[in-house]
Amino acid sequence: LHTFRLTETPVATECLELDEQHHRHLLMWVKHLAYDVQDSEVYDKKKSMEYAARFKAYCARALDEHSRLAHSAGCTVYGGY
């Protein structure tokens, strides 16, 4: 699991460093873990795999967005006459 921290210093409060836009998507991972429990009443492998795939897809989109924002614009140099 990779994270992008907002600050260099540890946070002294109990709140998470996650923006609200990520909360719903983090619940997909929680649902994956909940459905993956070896309990006859809640175990559902199909739903567990579905939520895990959806969460991983969101993480890939978030990583792409972060990479796009962190990328500096390149310069084109004209080398002809």
Side-chain angles (χ1 to χ4, degrees):
L1 178 66
H2 297 278
T3 60
F4 302 109
R5 291 189 57 91
L6 298 177
T7 61
E8 292 287 327
T9 59
V11 178
T13 63
E14 290 188 17
C15 64
L16 295 175
E17 298 177 9
L18 298 172
D19 290 338
E20 285 187 31
Q21 67 184 12
H22 303 297
H23 290 181
R24 286 185 333 156
H25 302 287
L26 185 58
L27 284 176
M28 285 188 274
W29 185 253
V30 173
K31 289 179 182 180
H32 156 67
L33 295 177
Y35 282 119
D36 200 35
V37 172
Q38 295 296 328
D39 183 4
S40 62
E41 294 181 7
V42 295
Y43 181 73
D44 190 341
K45 185 173 181 157
K46 183 179 177 183
K47 283 187 179 182
S48 175
M49 298 302 287
E50 176 189 341
Y51 283 119
R54 288 172 61 186
F55 178 74
K56 290 177 183 180
Y58 175 74
C59 289
R61 287 194 319 264
L63 181 60
D64 289 343
E65 181 69 15
H66 178 74
S67 298
R68 185 185 66 79
L69 291 174
H71 184 267
S72 61
C75 296
T76 304
V77 177
Y78 179 70
Y81 294 102

